[in-house]
Structure formats: C-alpha cells, structure tokens
Amino acid sequence: MPELPEVETTRRGILGHVQNRKIVKIEVRQANLRWKIDPKLADRLAGLTIDGVDRRGKYLLFRLSPLTLMVHLGMSGSLRIVDQGTVPGKHDHVDIHLEESKILRYHDPRRFGSVLLLEADRHPLLEHLGPEPLSEDFNAEYLYARSRKCKRPIKPYIMDGGIVVGVGNIYAAEALFLSAIRPGIASGRLSLSRYQNLVSSIKDVLTKAIEKGGTTLRDFVREDGQPGYFKQELFVYGRGGEPCIKCGSVLKEIRQAQRSTVYCAVCQK
DNA sequence: ATCGGGACCTGCTTGC
DNA sequence: TGCAAGCAGGTCCCGA
C-alpha cells in the first residue's frame, strides 16, 4: 500500500491521537514481520510518552525520549486508532495501548512491514537514504549530476531509496507520464531540463496525493478507517490496455525490475 | 560498482 | 466449482 503520501497521511492522521500520550502497554500478537519484533520492545516502551511522530522516507519515527520506535508499513501495512475493547482481526499484529482508552493498532496481512526499537536517533536502515522528495535538497541539478554515466532505466532509478526516498511504483509511473519521459530510458541520458520536468512532476504528484489522503487500491486505510481518494486521479498506474487520457492511444504495460510499468508510447519519449 | 533476481508473506483475481 | 498460477503499494541481500 504505502508510498510517501500514504505514510504521510497516516502520520498526520494519528498525530493528534498519540502526541503527548503515555503508552500504557503493548501487545504483540505476531512478532514475525520483515524483521522479528524485539521481545523486549513491549517492556522497554511501557510508561514512556510519545513526544511526536516524524517521517523519514516511508518510515514513521515515534519519538519517545530517549528511544525511537521506527515503523514501516511494507506493502500492506496500516495504522489505525481504535477504542479499547475493539476486537483484533486476523492481521492486527501489534496494539499500542494509550491513555484515555485508545489503541494504536498495527495491521499488516503480508507482514513485509517492520516495528523496530532504536536506542538512539540512528539506524542502519536510515543511513544511506537519499533526500526527501519534497525538500529543496531534491532538485534537478542533484539528479542530473548523480545520474551521469548511469545506464539504469529512469523508473527503477527514481524508485531507489538511495537516490530519493518515498517514490514507489504508483507515483514513479505517474510522474514519468506527467513529465512525458519514457520509463525505460537510461537515467544518464536525460538532460537537465528533462530532469527539471521530472522533479517538478514528482513533487506535484506527491503533494496532490497527500492532499487527497493517499491512494487506496485495495486495502489502504487512514487512521480512522477511511480510504484515500487519489486513485481517481491516476493517469497510468493500473490502466495498462486502456486509452491514454491525453491522446487516446492504448497504454502499454511492461515489467521493469519485477515491477509492472504502464506508460503511453505516444506521449512519453 | 551495478545490475537482476530471490526472498520475505497473505489474499485476491484469473484462467484452465 | 476447484485449483494453481500470477500478481499486488517495499526493499534487503546475494551473487553474477
């Protein structure tokens, strides 16, 4: 489910419910996620107060001075706020009980997500991440300079978290359509001005998706259980074989690095 | 140094 | 109708 807009939607949705609230207790029903949940995690966090929730790429960082709880939603994860007594479902793996009878509930059918305890503000998974796409550090000059001599196709290139964080399969395809760039072109062959288009398309599509509460394809839900509404605004993702919204020709579907890619061979060069 | 591929999982859709 | 294959928002890690 979650790319940056969905993670950011989740962060904004839960913030008001968890900030300055004390963790009463934690229940772990399934510890085998992408990485096994530390058996000591529940004891370490009980009694601490959540000072705030930050985001780095697709990671949510719960600040519990002096510890940090790092949550990744993987492919199918979500966080919801539910009332005490709400019966957990099959894939509700972790409950974080808060003051005032609320529970922050982690749900993840495929279990590709993770719930990790950080002793400090650092973690190996955060060490080599690229810039935030909505920050000024992410700009055309950076991408252009970094991609010289790189033969890797542009779509997997912008989906690489070491290059820029937060851009997943949906928004990579959308941004390339919006900037009229073919997904298979080698990143090292794109000009600076094409990178200017691409960067502004990425920022644009992510910003608009956040405004709509993210994209719900099947199971993404916001903290209150509502879906996101950006799906209606997708130009190419999930539309292989259908007509291009701009020119009407049939959209092509290919595979790149084991991910499906849809594009318009007429509009994107 | 870069890659492509496999791995980790469950659930839903599709086709025989 | 049943069953197996294929595919799905991510990304680490290995070997070529």
Side-chain angles (χ1 to χ4, degrees):
Chain A
M1 118 217 172
E3 299 187 33
L4 186 145
E6 293 73 41
V7 177
E8 180 61 19
T9 294
T10 299
R11 189 190 73 81
R12 293 180 185 184
I14 63 176
L15 187 60
H17 298 276
V18 305
Q19 192 163 36
N20 300 322
R21 295 249 155 58
K22 190 185 281 187
I23 294 177
V24 177
K25 66 167 178 175
I26 295 185
E27 285 181 280
V28 176
R29 282 179 286 269
Q30 169 60 274
N32 293 307
L33 306 182
R34 180 70 150 82
W35 288 282
K36 195 174 176 70
I37 295 178
D38 182 348
K40 300 193 197 86
L41 178 136
D43 285 343
R44 296 291 307 281
L45 295 183
L48 297 184
T49 297
I50 299 175
D51 299 324
V53 186
D54 297 323
R55 179 187 58 71
R56 177 74 177 102
K58 297 171 190 168
Y59 293 100
L60 288 169
L61 302 167
F62 293 80
R63 305 300 186 183
L64 302 128
S65 168
L67 304 176
T68 294
L69 182 69
M70 183 163 94
V71 175
H72 195 288
L73 301 176
M75 285 279 252
S76 58
S78 58
L79 284 171
R80 290 181 65 175
I81 302 290
V82 298
D83 289 321
Q84 193 83 45
T86 308
V87 179
K90 187 176 177 184
H91 301 295
D92 293 333
H93 306 312
V94 181
D95 278 357
I96 298 176
H97 295 253
L98 303 167
E99 296 173 304
E100 297 173 27
S101 304
K102 295 287 183 187
I103 296 172
L104 177 64
R105 178 165 281 174
Y106 176 83
H107 175 267
D108 186 6
R110 292 181 70 182
R111 289 192 264 134
F112 286 174
S114 51
V115 176
L116 298 168
L117 181 63
L118 277 58
E119 296 295 332
D121 198 4
R122 305 164 59 87
H123 191 277
L125 292 169
L126 300 174
E127 289 296 303
H128 303 290
L129 295 180
E132 286 291 326
L134 298 177
S135 74
E136 296 194 355
D137 291 342
F138 179 63
N139 55 57
E141 288 73 20
Y142 160 78
L143 267 192
Y144 177 78
R146 183 136 187 203
S147 64
R148 290 311 88 186
K149 295 182 186 171
C150 182
K151 293 175 185 163
R152 201 168 169 193
I154 189 62
K155 177 161 173 277
Y157 189 72
I158 56 173
M159 288 175 66
D160 182 339
I163 305 296
V164 56
V165 296
V167 181
N169 206 32
I170 298 176
Y171 302 111
E174 293 300 308
L176 288 167
F177 176 80
L178 293 173
S179 50
I181 296 168
R182 221 175 255 229
I185 194 169
S187 49
R189 298 190 54 195
L190 284 169
S191 65
L192 179 60
S193 76
R194 300 201 82 191
Y195 271 122
Q196 279 160 351
N197 285 332
L198 178 57
V199 165
S200 61
S201 295
I202 289 172
K203 289 176 189 278
D204 241 40
V205 75
L206 294 178
T207 302
K208 287 182 176 142
I210 291 170
E211 285 168 7
K212 295 277 177 177
T215 299
T216 296
L217 297 177
R218 327 160 225 284
D219 52 12
F220 171 67
V221 287
R222 302 156 66 150
E223 88 295 344
D224 56 0
Q226 290 295 112
Y229 293 103
F230 194 69
K231 184 175 187 224
Q232 304 153 18
E233 323 217 351
L234 298 178
F235 284 90
V236 288
Y237 182 87
R239 298 194 60 246
E242 295 177 34
C244 171
I245 286 165
K246 280 191 186 160
C247 78
S249 63
V250 177
L251 294 175
K252 290 203 171 181
E253 183 154 10
I254 59 171
R255 282 192 88 74
Q256 292 180 292
Q258 285 117 274
R259 311 300 297 276
S260 80
T261 298
V262 180
Y263 71 101
C264 176
V266 176
C267 294
Q268 293 170 259
K269 297 292 181 192

